[in-house]
Amino acid sequence: MNFKSIISFIFLFLAVNELAFSQKQTKPKNVILMIGDGMGLAQICAGMVYRQGDLNLARFKKIGFIKTYSSDNYVTDSAAGATAFSIGKKTYNGAVGLDSLKHAQETLIEIAENNKKSTGIVVTCTVTHATPASFIAHVENRNHYFDIASYYPNSGVDVVIGGGMAYFNKRKDKKNLIDTLLKSGYDVFDSTNDINTINSTKFYKFTNNYHLPKMSEGRGNYSEIASLKAIETLNKNKNGFFLMIEGSQIDWGSHDTSLSYTVNEMLDFDNTIGRVLDWAVKDGNTLVIVTADHETGGLTLVDGSLKDKKLTGKFSTTEHTGIMVPVFAFGPGSDEFSGIYENTAIFHKIINLTGYKCFK
Ligand code: MG
Ligand code: ZN
């Protein structure tokens, strides 16, 4: 080898290496989408005051903002907000997995399943509530919980952890969807089973007949444990996974215009974010996206003290607001999430980065 060919060999080597590196950097094997329902900037700042320091959210370097309006309203509800993420289209308030013309569209969970990924849902409300429902069901009205539950057994979702067992086995139509799940090869656990003892690759874990308790009512570190159990289970699929985790009750705290309820739920969600991020840092192939469907309460922090952990918060409404909400991203492809864009772009960015094929 002469000098010239050695030099060109080195350049070729560097180029190939860089290509491999950049591919590794931009194509995530796994995607974890974390939705803080009602988590606007004020909810996050309030959490920082009570944590008396940075939240785990401050560990993210790639940050953007999304515009949350729905197809029929400047102020979105959680169904249209989650459906924007799950199908990539703006829809009307109340719609679950349907576009604005009420046509069913493939959701991220269905698309991931069709691409041989494992999929999961972890929430701190019923699994039939608007946010998780929008990844599973296709119904015209978010309040049709029994209809929403009936979409679960055929959705292909592998791991489901949350409340709402009654919508599966105490139904008006007398169908027992728990039996359907068992016949379809799922293991189903209720509140009597310790989540840590579950050793199954396809399971439902119902913590409650209806919603889960608030943090102040003793929910403990359920969200952290459930999220890690879901990750550990889904990660057994060598093709990768898609997981949606919701901090469901930040929204309810702000609807109640209760700063303490809001902050307790915010801090719980942030603790879960910390555990997920720790896992993703070690894994290296996982894109973690944390965002919100909308802000709730029009919360303003008008006075406070970091030193004394004191805060005066004022809510301007008991409903949602139309202000932009932040997006935090970590891992391969996270660069794509900087900037200001539509909530529907979350879906398209995930599809483009993962290369999931859409068959419908
Ligand atoms: Mg929700
Ligand atoms: Zn709400």
Side-chain angles (χ1 to χ4, degrees):
M1 230 186 240
N2 62 24
F3 179 72
K4 225 175 153 185
S5 57
I6 287 173
I7 293 295
S8 44
F9 178 77
I10 288 171
F11 273 103
L12 184 69
F13 177 78
L14 287 175
V16 168
N17 240 348
E18 190 178 281
L19 190 68
F21 183 73
S22 66
Q23 274 178 353
K24 199 184 169 211
Q25 288 302 294
T26 57
K27 188 166 184 187
K29 177 184 170 200
N30 312 309
V31 178
I32 303 176
L33 176 60
M34 305 184 71
I35 304 172
D37 199 315
M39 184 183 74
L41 278 182
Q43 283 77 8
I44 294 170
C45 292
M48 284 176 176
V49 172
Y50 287 90
R51 176 68 56 76
Q52 281 185 308
D54 270 341
L55 297 174
N56 285 296
L57 278 174
R59 295 162 63 187
F60 290 82
K61 300 287 180 257
K62 303 294 156 56
I63 297 168
F65 287 95
I66 48 172
K67 296 180 258 183
T68 65
Y69 63 89
S70 66
S71 71
D72 69 340
N73 207 306
Y74 181 63
V75 178
T76 190
D77 82 318
S78 294
T83 298
F85 299 147
S86 73
I87 72 170
K89 293 192 164 111
K90 299 266 184 190
T91 190
Y92 63 92
N93 283 3
V96 168
L98 302 179
D99 66 16
S100 60
L101 301 172
K102 301 191 175 178
H103 295 148
Q105 302 288 325
E106 261 196 317
T107 71
L108 269 176
I109 291 245
E110 290 165 331
I111 295 167
E113 280 292 327
N114 288 336
N115 283 266
K116 309 231 174 323
K117 313 291 172 186
S118 289
T119 59
I121 281 186
V122 175
V123 294
T124 52
C125 60
T126 62
V127 301
T128 50
H129 209 247
T131 312
S134 299
F135 288 81
I136 298 289
H138 306 279
V139 302
E140 291 185 11
N141 183 329
R142 59 178 285 174
N143 298 318
H144 295 166
Y145 298 129
F146 291 101
D147 279 356
I148 289 167
S150 66
Y151 278 86
Y152 266 93
N154 293 320
S155 67
V157 64
D158 299 284
V159 172
V160 176
I161 312 178
M165 191 171 194
Y167 296 112
F168 290 74
N169 64 0
K170 293 191 176 71
R171 296 172 58 85
K172 288 183 272 185
D173 63 8
K174 304 283 177 225
K175 281 186 194 154
N176 188 334
L177 299 181
I178 301 297
D179 287 344
T180 313
L181 287 169
L182 291 168
K183 276 187 208 130
S184 314
Y186 287 93
D187 290 312
V188 181
F189 305 97
D190 64 15
S191 58
T192 60
N193 299 94
D194 177 355
I195 197 163
N196 291 305
T197 63
I198 296 174
N199 188 17
S200 165
T201 52
K202 274 171 81 84
F203 72 89
Y204 280 62
K205 160 71 175 165
F206 290 107
T207 53
N208 295 75
N209 271 329
Y210 296 100
H211 287 305
L212 276 77
K214 303 171 184 176
M215 284 307 285
S216 63
E217 294 165 340
R219 200 169 73 236
N221 60 355
Y222 151 84
S223 173
E224 292 171 62
I225 303 287
S227 299
L228 286 180
K229 172 56 93 178
I231 289 172
E232 179 193 299
T233 306
L234 299 175
N235 193 42
K236 288 176 182 160
N237 181 350
K238 61 175 175 17
N239 294 321
F241 66 82
F242 173 82
L243 170 64
M244 195 286 285
I245 299 170
E246 187 194 17
S248 317
Q249 297 195 32
I250 302 166
D251 176 64
W252 302 353
S254 291
H255 278 296
D256 281 4
T257 65
S258 165
L259 191 61
S260 63
Y261 186 4
T262 302
V263 166
N264 285 334
E265 296 298 329
M266 180 65 230
L267 292 178
D268 177 54
F269 188 50
D270 187 69
N271 287 337
T272 306
I273 291 165
R275 299 290 285 270
V276 169
L277 207 48
D278 290 345
W279 186 88
V281 167
K282 263 192 251 158
D283 179 68
N285 296 306
T286 301
L287 170 63
V288 181
I289 306 154
V290 185
T291 188
D293 45 0
H294 52 74
E295 193 272 349
T296 304
L299 176 58
T300 316
L301 309 179
V302 290
D303 196 10
S305 160
L306 288 169
K307 183 166 60 69
D308 302 329
K309 248 192 192 187
K310 267 196 190 150
L311 205 52
T312 308
K314 286 210 167 124
F315 292 92
S316 59
T317 173
T318 57
E319 302 298 328
H320 303 162
T321 68
I323 196 168
M324 291 191 294
V325 291
V327 182
F328 304 83
F330 171 83
S334 56
D335 283 352
E336 296 299 314
F337 292 85
S338 301
I340 294 178
Y341 43 92
E342 301 291 344
N343 54 1
T344 48
I346 299 279
F347 170 93
H348 297 289
K349 288 175 194 294
I350 291 172
I351 296 291
N352 290 339
L353 286 165
T354 55
Y356 290 173
K357 300 262 179 302
C358 302
F359 296 101
K360 275 176 201 156

